[in-house]
Amino acid sequence: TLPTERNADASPQIQRNRKPSQNSEDKRQSKPMTDTTRVESKSEDKEAETPEVANSKPRPQRKLDAQCVPTLAKYSNAAAVASPPGKFDECRIQQPVALSQVSGLAPVELASSATLDCSFATTFADYIRFNAQPLAQIHLKTELTKITAGPGFQCRRRNNLATGKLSEHAFGNGIDILSFTFADGTTINVSDPAGMAEREAAYFNAVRERACEYFTTVLGPGSNAAHANHLHLDLGRSIGNPNPYRICK
């Protein structure tokens, strides 16, 4: 099962392999990753499954944590906001926050503010602080300064299909990363793995692999056509499931 507590005041370090959850507050430490092999999963790709009616089954609701926003605000600029409107009634964030900066070894800006569920935002912030930032120093000898990502919340169906289940974006429970930018001016575009220098590819594959320890679905270039130009992260399989399997492609 995934741990339920995380120390928000811990100094950012590389984490040891551990399965975190969106509610985890544990210190995260990991061994340096130099292997560029991407993690593959034997599980089927549910993001590309046959569409079903979006509201065919009620979505489980998690127990809200009153301390989520104030705790997250200690190491980010997260602030509570109203759940954005959507064209489907089911599109709703349980505990919405706006997030555009995460603290750590150095501040990491999001190119544009993302609207996320607080639980997901906490996991995303920890992923940045304890993995994306330290791994930049290991592989690139510089600091991560900016992540260009999607808006988080999007009231739409999976893979932008006209029918089928709603995407985790519709609940603020997912985000798409387009690029990473660093203090030395380097930018790694997720859409162009073939164009990455060797050390850039090492960094990208490391953060992609580490994401599989934080999120229950990780899809990027090579997984399917719908994710050819971004790295999709979500926690959908943990909703109503204390021991979710993971998709990591």
Side-chain angles (χ1 to χ4, degrees):
T1 61
L2 304 179
T4 58
E5 294 185 357
R6 179 182 295 133
N7 185 350
D9 297 323
S11 298
Q13 301 177 30
I14 303 294
Q15 75 167 33
R16 296 187 183 278
N17 289 342
R18 171 185 283 180
K19 289 184 179 179
S21 75
Q22 66 271 31
N23 294 319
S24 173
E25 294 293 339
D26 292 336
K27 293 180 181 177
R28 302 191 179 276
Q29 298 180 333
S30 65
K31 298 179 181 179
M33 290 295 299
T34 57
D35 184 0
T36 60
T37 301
R38 296 190 177 97
V39 174
E40 296 294 337
S41 170
K42 294 181 180 179
S43 302
E44 60 180 334
D45 177 2
K46 294 293 185 178
E47 280 280 322
E49 68 183 2
T50 302
E52 299 177 12
V53 178
N55 59 354
S56 59
K57 183 178 180 180
R59 181 180 176 84
Q61 300 293 293
R62 64 178 179 81
K63 183 178 180 180
L64 297 184
D65 179 3
Q67 295 303 309
C68 184
V69 178
T71 299
L72 177 59
K74 292 178 180 179
Y75 50 89
S76 75
N77 69 344
V81 295
S83 183
K87 61 181 179 179
F88 303 120
D89 290 341
E90 300 99 319
C91 294
R92 180 172 130 351
I93 303 177
Q94 275 194 271
Q95 198 169 13
V97 297
L99 179 71
S100 61
Q101 185 185 82
V102 175
S103 303
L105 298 176
V108 176
E109 304 283 344
L110 298 185
S112 58
S113 180
T115 304
L116 304 165
D117 187 272
C118 186
S119 179
F120 178 87
T122 297
T123 300
F124 184 53
D126 282 353
Y127 166 68
I128 292 172
R129 295 194 301 151
F130 301 128
N131 281 275
Q133 281 190 307
L135 286 168
Q137 295 186 330
I138 292 172
H139 293 284
L140 301 173
K141 310 304 180 186
T142 188
E143 292 180 343
L144 175 66
T145 58
K146 183 173 72 174
I147 293 176
T148 300
F153 175 83
Q154 293 176 293
C155 186
R156 61 172 176 81
R157 302 181 192 275
R158 290 180 179 177
N159 297 334
N160 288 301
L161 296 176
T163 60
K165 292 182 178 179
L166 290 175
S167 166
E168 288 303 310
H169 291 287
F171 310 104
N173 203 36
I175 197 165
D176 296 332
I177 296 177
L178 303 175
S179 68
F180 301 88
T181 300
F182 306 88
D184 65 358
T186 299
T187 294
I188 295 178
N189 292 307
V190 175
S191 63
D192 186 25
M196 295 178 191
E198 183 177 355
R199 67 191 187 116
E200 295 169 358
Y203 173 78
F204 176 63
N205 283 316
V207 294
R208 184 175 183 168
E209 188 170 315
R210 289 301 185 200
C212 300
E213 299 176 4
Y214 281 77
F215 305 96
T216 54
T217 302
V218 178
L219 297 169
S223 61
N224 58 35
H227 299 91
N229 66 350
H230 64 272
L231 185 63
H232 169 84
L233 312 173
D234 78 49
L235 281 169
R237 300 177 192 288
S238 64
I239 304 299
N241 185 357
N243 188 26
Y245 70 87
R246 295 168 187 257
I247 290 177
C248 190
K249 294 186 178 182

